[in-house]
Amino acid sequence: MPLSYDAPARLLTISTDNSTYQMKVDEYGYLLHLYYGARAEGDLSYLLTYCDRSGMCGCPHDVADRTYSLDVLPQEFPFQGSGDMRSPLLIVRDAEGTFGCDLRYKCHEIRPGKYGLPGLPAAYDEGADDDAQTLSVTLTDERLGLEVELLYGVLPKLDVITRAAIVRNNGEARVTVEKAQTACLDFVTGDFDVITFDGRHAMERRPTRRQLKNGALSVGSRRGMSSNQYNPVMILCDREATETAGRCWSMSFVYSGGFLAEAERDQYEQARMQMGLDSDLFSYPLEPGEKIVAPEVIMTYSDAGLEKISHNLHRCIRRNVCRGPWRDAPRPILINSWEACYFDFTGDKLVELAKKAAELGLDMLVMDDGWFGARNDDHRGLGDWQPNMAKLGGTVADLARRVNEVGLGFGIWVEPEMVNEDSDLFRAHPDWALTVPGREPVLGRDQLVLDLSRPEVRDNLFEQLCAVLDQGGIDYVKWDYNRSIVDVYSRTASDQGKVLYDYMLGLYDLLERVRSRYPELLIEGCSAGGGRFDAGMLYYTPQIWTSDNTDARNRLEIQYGTSFGYPCSAMGAHVSACPNEITGRTIPLGARGTVAMGGGAFGYELDLMELNDRACELIKSQVNTYRTIEHLVREGLFYRLTDPKDATLAAWEFVSEDGAEALVCAVVTRVDGYGLANYVVPRGLTPGASYRMVSNGRVYSADALMDMGLPVSVPATPYESFMYRFERVG
Ligand code: GLA
């Protein structure tokens, strides 16, 4: 079984197929972390060292041995007040405002199945198939009446361990939680790099790899959203780790609001990696009987480089985080109206676009921003989710019917969490926006954020959305969120330190209500492109618009970076017009197609009416191609063959889980004078097998392909692009 307890040694061990995680309750009741690494048996507590280096380090009063200090020892759930001066997961204050607690082991329980977190997103198990278990360890501070329940979920076949923590006030006075992070990994030894996924609007999630030196290295978000700037995925790895070699550990936050991810190397050159809620804009009072849940962190370990980390995370997110009928279904190929017409459309124009899309073989038209209220530009109208009948030439359902008649499904864009000051909703309920009394609010794209911590605000939005969706004909919703929260003030909050967390609970409640009422609806997340691209959103929306940047050159980097933590099935990837609206770059339609088809949930967002016949033919063939590779992109194992930032050839690959099929994609990104031939070296093929290239029928040895590679583009020309399908033939 994945979980075991060795009572005499007080050891708790978690085993997955290829990893072991062990912790120990020591003689003083502190819960020490021993190990997370390659699968191992037995008692690993010999890893702890108690040499006399704790002079001047805090030693708990009841510990006779002054060489003992939590400042030195690896811990499961470090808290402020124990003498550990590194970054803690938990900081609390009692009713008098005094900092500190002292958490000791009370009990534990092993349960079948993986725990869930009511009201919050969390990975789930698929019954007996997953052989999942839960470990619950309770720590208490008797003086405060504080209890922390540490939850560990094990998905053994995926090599995934999840964590969450529930902080309960069982005492008689208020306790205020000033910091509540979820997970920490302490390493007694090792020399590491840290990889974070950083960027900005329209340039999200590019990996930054840095050596971990003494001190703390942190990324996070105080924006009320996981953010375009930093993503809540962090990887710690051996300094020499590559795609295919070296030890790596990752943490992914299953939460869409503010976060903090930190890696620290301490005075004794020990490392700590941790993740959880942002604490800068957080201070959460718990009255007696109340609790707060520190949201889930997914952890995985690889002894074979970064690729395996990604494979573990992709499998887990695809199958154990995403939900609903779209989880395993081919996604519709979209034509989205945004880059095709922006606000400048009518119902008739969209029907024309739909007709053209149908001719080209696409599946669904998405009516993006601009269909409701007075929304003919981005200064007004958010909050008023009634269709602009004059513009649409009828109701949304009427338009959906017309689009269905030409053979396409129909979807709409919404941004329910926002309101413009110039809207009927704001005029009626100015207090529903998050603004600070007596201070002019900070605007973002001329909009304010609605206070989703308030049930009446959520009810109103739910009713408005239902009024549109109940009319029928809507198969898809793009759920956008286009600014950060700056003014953290709710008219009804008992304490303003609770607002950002309660906002997220409110958002998840609203999303869950929409999901349950319309179980067949495909919801695509979006947030100024990829500003809320996280495992939390993927629990509600199985795909997310990866970035507002649709320039194929930049998308190669954005998709490359995103792939470390997220499967391609989660990434919205569209072909747009050239010159690109953001970069001004012109890239041939062929390469734009390769990047988007090999990027994830495929579609177009350009004015199809402006295309010449040649482009239309090419689009038809791209659509046909996509249908033959879609299953590999959605479910295949993903291989990053080159780093597109540095390489002259951006190359990546999908291999079906059974190794029977592979797809190698490549785009020439740079050509130098009389350049060298580009070879692409696939991975993950079945050793010893032969593969037939579908386009030319030629048979290749898998071993030779994975050794010397395959020459593509000789000589290279800029933005030549390739998609090679292989089938195993023996
Ligand atoms: C955001 C999204 C875009 C588009 C616009 C509409 O920027 O990322 O895709 O939907 O909003 O206003």
Side-chain angles (χ1 to χ4, degrees):
M1 290 305 269
L3 284 164
S4 63
Y5 181 56
D6 172 347
R10 300 223 285 179
L11 287 176
L12 284 157
T13 305
I14 305 174
S15 310
T16 71
D17 284 5
N18 299 293
S19 68
T20 292
Y21 187 107
Q22 196 173 76
M23 62 192 101
K24 178 187 176 67
V25 182
D26 79 2
E27 57 188 303
Y28 309 108
Y30 290 115
L31 186 63
L32 303 181
H33 175 76
L34 296 182
Y35 178 82
Y36 186 24
R39 187 150 172 140
E41 305 296 326
D43 181 346
L44 300 162
S45 56
Y46 63 84
L47 288 166
L48 299 175
T49 54
Y50 297 87
C51 54
D52 193 5
R53 53 188 180 178
S54 59
M56 313 302 286
C57 293
C59 177
H61 201 269
D62 57 321
V63 175
D65 172 6
R66 63 178 265 187
T67 69
Y68 180 103
S69 175
L70 292 176
D71 211 10
V72 178
L73 292 164
Q75 294 178 66
E76 270 308 302
F77 193 77
F79 48 88
Q80 189 276 329
S82 66
D84 180 355
M85 308 310 282
R86 295 167 289 182
S87 183
L89 294 184
L90 185 74
I91 300 178
V92 297
R93 293 219 235 184
D94 68 13
E96 278 73 54
T98 310
F99 287 104
C101 60
D102 186 9
L103 292 169
R104 313 253 182 149
Y105 169 86
K106 183 177 171 204
C107 58
H108 76 269
E109 196 191 345
I110 293 174
R111 301 197 282 258
K114 181 185 175 293
Y115 66 85
L117 299 174
L120 279 166
Y124 61 96
D125 70 83
E126 281 278 49
D129 262 12
D130 278 339
D131 204 12
Q133 278 190 314
T134 294
L135 167 66
S136 148
V137 184
T138 302
L139 312 175
T140 53
D141 178 315
E142 297 299 338
R143 187 185 66 86
L144 288 174
L146 188 71
E147 179 180 288
V148 180
E149 183 182 359
L150 306 182
L151 289 166
Y152 298 80
V154 199
L155 294 165
K157 293 180 190 157
L158 299 178
D159 287 322
V160 158
I161 298 172
T162 67
R163 292 187 60 173
I166 306 175
V167 182
R168 293 194 182 90
N169 181 359
N170 292 341
E172 269 146 32
R174 166 192 281 219
V175 173
T176 301
V177 182
E178 303 289 356
K179 183 177 187 186
Q181 291 207 290
T182 306
C184 152
L185 277 177
D186 275 0
F187 297 81
V188 285
T189 181
D191 203 4
F192 300 114
D193 278 353
V194 187
I195 307 176
T196 56
F197 299 91
D198 316 331
R200 56 182 181 272
H201 177 218
M203 214 59 220
E204 293 88 350
R205 290 176 301 283
R206 285 164 312 145
T208 309
R209 183 168 175 163
R210 284 165 282 193
Q211 182 180 0
L212 186 60
K213 297 194 172 162
N214 282 29
L217 192 162
S218 70
V219 295
S221 160
R222 286 175 211 95
R223 296 168 185 267
M225 61 203 272
S226 49
S227 91
N228 308 71
Q229 288 72 16
Y230 301 103
N231 193 262
V233 169
M234 182 180 258
I235 300 174
L236 196 74
C237 60
D238 284 330
R239 295 236 46 225
E240 60 280 4
T242 63
E243 279 289 340
T244 53
R247 299 174 306 157
C248 314
W249 297 260
S250 73
M251 287 188 176
S252 311
F253 204 21
V254 191
Y255 187 70
S256 316
F259 74 97
L260 176 69
E262 206 171 353
E264 181 177 2
R265 186 169 148 110
D266 72 11
Q267 55 185 334
Y268 300 115
E269 301 185 356
Q270 306 184 112
R272 170 171 292 175
M273 177 192 195
Q274 66 194 77
M275 185 175 273
L277 295 171
D278 163 54
S279 49
D280 281 359
L281 297 169
F282 174 89
S283 173
Y284 210 96
L286 297 178
E287 300 302 335
E290 289 185 342
K291 64 170 190 219
I292 181 170
V293 180
E296 179 159 288
V297 167
I298 294 174
M299 305 189 300
T300 189
Y301 165 77
S302 160
D303 59 356
L306 297 161
E307 174 177 292
K308 191 163 157 191
I309 286 281
S310 298
H311 288 175
N312 294 350
L313 290 176
H314 292 182
R315 288 189 180 112
C316 175
I317 287 176
R318 260 193 321 241
R319 184 168 160 284
N320 296 75
V321 173
C322 294
R323 297 177 296 166
W326 289 102
R327 186 190 75 166
D328 304 318
R331 310 287 166 74
I333 304 180
L334 306 179
I335 170 70
N336 180 297
S337 68
W338 182 242
E339 289 187 47
C341 359
Y342 299 98
F343 292 102
D344 181 19
F345 62 83
T346 60
D348 289 344
K349 185 164 174 184
L350 293 183
V351 173
E352 287 310 304
L353 195 61
K355 273 189 199 147
K356 187 73 183 172
E359 253 172 64
L360 301 178
L362 275 59
D363 297 320
M364 188 180 285
L365 175 104
V366 176
M367 173 168 67
D368 209 282
D369 197 355
W371 58 268
F372 52 90
R375 187 81 173 166
N376 286 316
D377 55 43
D378 65 3
H379 302 293
R380 67 203 87 244
L382 289 175
D384 301 339
W385 300 102
Q386 299 83 40
N388 179 340
M389 307 255 284
K391 187 168 177 177
L392 303 189
T395 64
V396 174
D398 293 335
L399 181 58
R401 218 167 298 120
R402 292 174 68 198
V403 170
N404 291 162
E405 273 161 21
V406 305
L408 253 63
F410 183 71
I412 59 168
W413 176 96
V414 293
E415 195 180 359
E417 298 156 75
M418 298 292 167
V419 68
N420 285 114
E421 287 173 306
D422 185 357
S423 69
D424 292 342
L425 187 75
F426 186 78
R427 281 183 281 273
H429 300 286
D431 62 309
W432 282 9
L434 292 167
T435 57
V436 177
R439 196 190 300 158
E440 293 297 348
V442 174
L443 295 171
R445 209 190 187 197
D446 276 340
Q447 60 200 53
L448 300 172
V449 187
L450 287 168
D451 182 357
L452 261 65
S453 71
R454 292 172 67 173
E456 64 274 32
V457 177
R458 302 199 295 274
D459 288 347
N460 174 287
L461 294 172
F462 185 63
E463 281 158 24
Q464 288 204 61
L465 292 175
C466 291
V468 181
L469 296 171
D470 280 350
Q471 292 177 22
I474 298 173
D475 311 300
Y476 161 108
V477 162
K478 177 174 169 188
W479 186 296
D480 211 339
Y481 177 91
N482 279 319
R483 61 157 293 180
S484 325
I485 300 176
V486 177
D487 296 298
V488 185
Y489 188 93
S490 164
R491 294 323 189 257
T492 57
S494 58
D495 191 296
Q496 300 306 325
K498 297 168 77 169
V499 172
L500 289 180
Y501 180 83
D502 288 353
Y503 178 96
M504 290 313 301
L505 295 184
L507 168 64
Y508 292 142
D509 169 61
L510 181 60
L511 281 164
E512 193 60 32
R513 283 163 76 183
V514 173
R515 272 194 80 255
S516 344
R517 184 164 169 138
Y518 308 99
E520 305 296 321
L521 187 69
L522 172 59
I523 311 181
E524 174 157 349
C526 180
S527 173
R532 222 163 41 181
F533 203 114
D534 55 69
M537 281 309 285
L538 287 168
Y539 187 68
Y540 304 90
T541 71
Q543 62 191 58
I544 299 176
W545 184 226
T546 311
S547 177
D548 273 349
N549 187 342
T550 48
D551 169 79
R553 177 72 189 86
N554 283 169
R555 268 297 181 117
L556 285 168
E557 283 182 46
I558 295 167
Q559 291 170 188
Y560 167 85
T562 306
S563 79
F564 282 84
Y566 305 95
C568 290
S569 57
M571 300 187 212
H574 296 176
V575 172
S576 64
C578 276
N580 182 269
E581 59 153 12
I582 288 180
T583 63
R585 196 171 1 234
T586 295
I587 290 179
L589 182 55
R592 279 180 275 154
T594 301
V595 173
M597 285 189 276
F602 182 49
Y604 291 82
E605 49 187 89
L606 45 81
D607 191 348
L608 301 173
M609 317 308 281
E610 287 184 356
L611 299 175
N612 61 28
D613 291 348
R614 220 169 122 239
C616 289
E617 285 314 306
L618 186 49
I619 290 184
K620 275 188 202 161
S621 99
Q622 288 176 342
V623 169
N624 287 334
T625 303
Y626 188 68
R627 299 210 191 276
T628 64
I629 61 166
E630 180 278 332
H631 62 291
L632 286 168
V633 175
R634 183 166 44 83
E635 306 173 326
L637 292 168
F638 184 77
Y639 294 86
R640 291 174 290 270
L641 302 182
T642 64
D643 177 346
K645 185 159 59 64
D646 311 320
T648 52
L649 187 79
W652 66 106
E653 181 196 12
F654 302 89
V655 181
S656 60
E657 289 268 2
D658 63 2
E661 289 178 83
L663 171 74
V664 173
C665 307
V667 178
V668 176
T669 51
R670 204 181 75 216
V671 177
D672 300 323
Y674 292 125
L676 309 174
N678 280 309
Y679 283 73
V680 59
V681 185
R683 295 200 292 275
L685 304 176
T686 310
S690 299
Y691 283 79
R692 186 164 52 81
M693 192 189 281
V694 173
S695 56
N696 66 9
R698 186 164 171 180
V699 174
Y700 297 82
S701 139
D703 297 332
L705 283 175
M706 292 194 289
D707 186 332
M708 284 294 181
L710 181 77
V712 300
S713 77
V714 193
T717 57
Y719 295 109
E720 256 187 305
S721 72
F722 309 88
M723 285 189 125
Y724 296 121
R725 267 177 69 212
F726 292 96
E727 285 169 356
R728 194 174 55 205
V729 286

